[in-house]
Amino acid sequence: MTQTNIPAWCQALQAKLMAALDAAWAILEHSDDPAEIRRARDKAKACGELAAVARKVALILPMARAAPAMAAAAPAFADLAPALAPVAAQAEQARRAFEKLKGGRRGRL
């Protein structure tokens, strides 16, 4: 079994599907024949179905993690920490008030 580069495969398939849609659109613009228009619509519908399947295949691949980028950006947000401290405290107060309303673990909302 050969290994396939999924992102590259998706890009190539997307290019082919867009070319097929452009061809179908050209047929729709320049033709008055109902049978030819129907074939162009069927081709466009098939392209859409293939694109949906390709999106599902692409979702199987785990997404790249953004943690290293956030770690690099952490020093840039260090000067915002004093400004965000009151917001964090207010969020903690709201969470505690909500827990009080729920009645601890027994209550239901």
Side-chain angles (χ1 to χ4, degrees), residues 70 73-89:
M70 291 302 292
F77 295 116
D79 57 342
L80 293 178
L84 294 178
V87 175

Side-chain angles (χ1 to χ4, degrees), residues 24-44:
W25 188 263
I27 290 170
L28 288 173
E29 284 181 339
H30 301 294
S31 178
D32 292 331
D33 182 23
E36 195 171 3
I37 290 173
R38 185 172 295 120
R39 282 193 302 271
R41 283 183 168 174
D42 290 342
K43 183 184 263 191

Side-chain angles (χ1 to χ4, degrees), residues 14-27:
Q14 184 179 14
K16 288 179 187 177
L17 290 174
M18 289 181 72
L21 280 175
D22 287 341
W25 188 263
I27 290 170

